Amino acid sequence: MTTLLTFPKGGVHPPDAKQLTADCPIEVIPTPDELEIILGQHIGAPCTPTVDKRATVTEGEMIGEVKKGLGVPLHAPVAGTIKLMGMSGHPMRVKAPSMTIKVDHDAPANEYTRSDWSDKDGKELLSLVHGAGLVGIGGAGFPTHVKLSPPPSDTIDTLILNGAECEPYITSDYRQMLEMSDEIIEGAKIILKILGIKNCCIGIESNKPEAIKAMSAAAAKGASPAFDIKVIPLQVKYPQGSEKQLIQSITGRKVKGFALPSSVGVVVHNVATTRAIYDAIVLGKPLYEKIVTISGLGINKVGNFRVKVGTKISDIVDYCGGVNSKLSKIIMGGPMMGFNISSLDIPITKTTSAILFLSAEEIDTTPHSNCIRCGWCLEACPMGVEAKEIAIHVEAGKGEDTSQFGVFECFECGCCAYVCPAKRPLVQFMRLAKMKAKR
Ligand code: SF4
Ligand code: SF4
């Protein structure tokens, strides 16, 4: 039997709970009467509106741009009128600047048709990616055109597509791999052309055999001498989909410290981002819709939904028949790396992949206690961070002294907290320490 590839250090095996939505085909949620578009949806500077209050906008029209610094433009997800420049709910910042569009339900939806991109060079393709407002939609929202422009000093030989989707509950990438495999493969070819390389590996955990089958078939169907695209089944281990771990699993190369993946010759993109690149280049469609998993025992209907960016969670909950009496906790994102939210008055952004409505039986409510120095957190950490020491320092008001324990290597995967027998909120301690510590 072949041993499946994985990363060497740490990692955990939480129950994946994907059975709740894995077989739910992507369903379109009707556009609500109003959308709230948050201006800062990516890493970098937030957008400045390019339209005024009361302006009429069309679907796909640019409504915001970043004039200076890192960023990408924003587009209207629908035709309508700019009703308000104000503030909207935000999962991390409580409130964030936004613009509200009153939707014109009578306007016809845009129809996008295929166009040939083979005559465009890498520079033109890159500019189209930027113009379509693309950001990494499976993660923190790093502008895609920047990730596609590695420093000239780094020699890139491999594109990795991240189809691991290792966070429990989330199946939005899985459904896209099943339902849009040809689009993902064409998106991969566009990226390869931009990077000027041939080799692409699509990493998928082995608990998704249907996705492995669909993506392998699409890669075979789209095979051409110009590209070498293959699917790599991976061992099921969280956080297999984290960038550094994925690179090490597939290539054996280790990205050091704060270096970029390009330092080891690799560029990584999520499969959903790759599908969005297809939309942008082949269809000319900017990024203004998201595939979002709604799951958990605390909501009446679960599934994978196509929603317009700016749709409020409350509108999604209404469409799903409301929450039920089992609801105990709402998480934006997955249970390992997501954020608790206490309001439904928060709009979907380009980076939202899931909202979980969890019941008491799906979460651990045991109160935390003192560290028993078992060392399990260090054993589970894929980065070798000493979470125990960092937490103890933060509790003692010495968060500024924690860089010696590797706090800046921490990418908040939650493995340490997952294994901690004292149920210590180690990720929260890491976040507090990062605010205080000096590099
Ligand atoms: S959250 Fe940070 S410290 Fe904890 S396991 Fe993940 S990387 Fe390590
Ligand atoms: S796993 Fe928890 S109890 Fe054990 S050493 Fe780490 S912080 Fe302490």
Side-chain angles (χ1 to χ4, degrees):
M1 206 174 80
T2 330
T3 310
L4 292 167
L5 297 174
T6 192
F7 55 95
K9 190 191 275 184
V12 294
H13 296 90
D16 76 8
K18 291 181 190 278
Q19 73 285 354
L20 283 172
T21 56
D23 294 332
C24 300
I26 297 166
E27 187 178 327
V28 177
I29 287 195
T31 309
D33 293 337
E34 287 183 0
L35 298 178
E36 292 184 18
I37 317 293
I38 289 183
L39 298 181
Q41 302 206 10
H42 49 255
I43 287 181
C47 281
T48 305
T50 51
V51 289
D52 296 323
K53 190 177 162 188
R54 286 188 279 279
T56 302
V57 295
T58 55
E59 181 180 341
E61 178 182 336
M62 188 174 83
I63 55 173
E65 66 178 338
V66 174
K67 293 208 171 92
K68 205 173 167 193
L70 186 69
V72 294
L74 270 178
H75 300 83
V78 280
T81 311
I82 305 294
K83 181 184 164 188
L84 183 71
M85 300 288 181
M87 302 292 279
S88 291
H90 191 277
M92 284 168 277
R93 283 176 264 149
V94 187
K95 290 276 176 195
S98 68
M99 63 177 103
T100 301
I101 301 178
K102 186 170 170 23
V103 176
D104 176 1
H105 289 292
D106 294 328
N110 276 5
E111 282 186 21
Y112 293 100
T113 48
R114 273 191 70 92
S115 69
D116 181 22
W117 53 274
S118 60
D119 57 342
K120 294 188 169 58
D121 64 22
K123 214 169 154 190
E124 283 174 273
L125 293 169
L126 199 58
S127 159
L128 291 170
V129 166
H130 173 245
L134 296 195
V135 298
I137 53 188
F142 199 80
T144 302
H145 68 287
V146 180
K147 268 185 108 176
L148 287 171
S149 316
S153 52
D154 293 341
T155 306
I156 306 300
D157 59 22
T158 305
L159 165 68
I160 292 181
L161 294 196
N162 185 355
E165 201 168 54
C166 57
E167 265 273 8
Y169 286 90
I170 308 180
T171 54
S172 50
D173 286 357
Y174 174 70
R175 288 309 311 182
Q176 289 179 77
M177 287 191 280
L178 291 192
E179 298 178 37
M180 301 174 215
S181 46
D182 291 339
E183 289 88 336
I184 295 170
I185 294 298
E186 193 160 354
K189 290 178 181 174
I190 294 166
I191 301 176
L192 290 169
K193 183 163 184 185
I194 292 173
L195 295 172
I197 59 170
K198 199 176 166 178
N199 184 29
C200 168
C201 299
I202 307 171
I204 306 176
E205 281 191 323
S206 63
N207 61 350
K208 302 175 187 71
E210 293 302 320
I212 291 172
K213 206 164 116 191
M215 291 305 302
S216 301
K221 192 170 121 195
S224 97
F227 306 108
D228 181 7
I229 303 176
K230 50 186 170 294
V231 173
I232 311 283
L234 301 168
Q235 218 181 91
V236 181
K237 185 167 73 163
Y238 179 87
Q240 190 67 263
S242 126
E243 204 164 71
K244 286 184 178 174
Q245 279 60 42
L246 189 64
I247 292 170
Q248 199 166 7
S249 295
I250 292 179
T251 66
R253 303 174 196 170
K254 190 167 178 216
V255 182
K256 286 190 198 139
F258 304 111
L260 295 171
S262 61
S263 66
V264 295
V266 177
V267 167
V268 182
H269 283 281
N270 173 271
V271 287
T273 310
T274 308
R275 202 265 309 151
I277 289 173
Y278 165 90
D279 281 357
I281 303 295
V282 181
L283 304 180
K285 181 179 178 180
L287 177 57
Y288 58 74
E289 288 179 340
K290 275 301 313 254
I291 312 296
V292 179
T293 298
I294 302 295
S295 192
L297 300 178
I299 189 158
N300 290 325
K301 176 180 164 83
V302 298
N304 298 292
F305 300 102
R306 184 189 288 271
V307 293
K308 303 275 188 195
V309 166
T311 302
K312 286 206 282 190
I313 298 175
S314 53
D315 291 316
I316 299 175
V317 169
D318 286 347
Y319 180 79
C320 293
V323 296
N324 59 45
S325 58
K326 291 183 187 166
L327 179 65
S328 187
K329 189 178 190 180
I330 308 174
I331 298 177
M332 202 162 195
M336 300 296 283
M337 291 189 79
F339 288 83
N340 293 354
I341 54 171
S342 52
S343 165
L344 299 180
D345 207 16
I346 294 174
I348 298 296
T349 68
K350 293 177 182 181
T351 58
T352 313
S353 293
I355 303 161
L356 308 181
F357 298 82
L358 303 179
S359 65
E361 64 196 87
E362 296 172 286
I363 56 180
D364 189 347
T365 51
T366 320
H368 73 87
S369 52
N370 290 338
C371 174
I372 58 168
R373 297 184 181 272
C374 62
W376 290 1
C377 49
L378 180 58
E379 215 172 290
C381 178
M383 303 303 291
V385 176
E386 294 188 61
K388 157 181 75 95
E389 294 299 337
I390 294 167
I392 289 169
H393 274 65
V394 170
E395 279 181 314
K398 293 181 183 165
E400 66 277 9
D401 297 336
T402 51
S403 60
Q404 60 183 309
F405 304 115
V407 71
F408 291 114
E409 292 273 343
C410 169
F411 61 101
E412 300 173 17
C413 67
C415 290
C416 51
Y418 179 75
V419 297
C420 177
K423 306 294 171 198
R424 288 168 64 71
L426 294 169
V427 179
Q428 281 85 331
F429 283 127
M430 297 303 123
R431 288 179 187 146
L432 286 170
K434 280 186 207 174
M435 283 188 242
K436 299 264 179 198
K438 294 177 192 67
R439 284 180 196 260

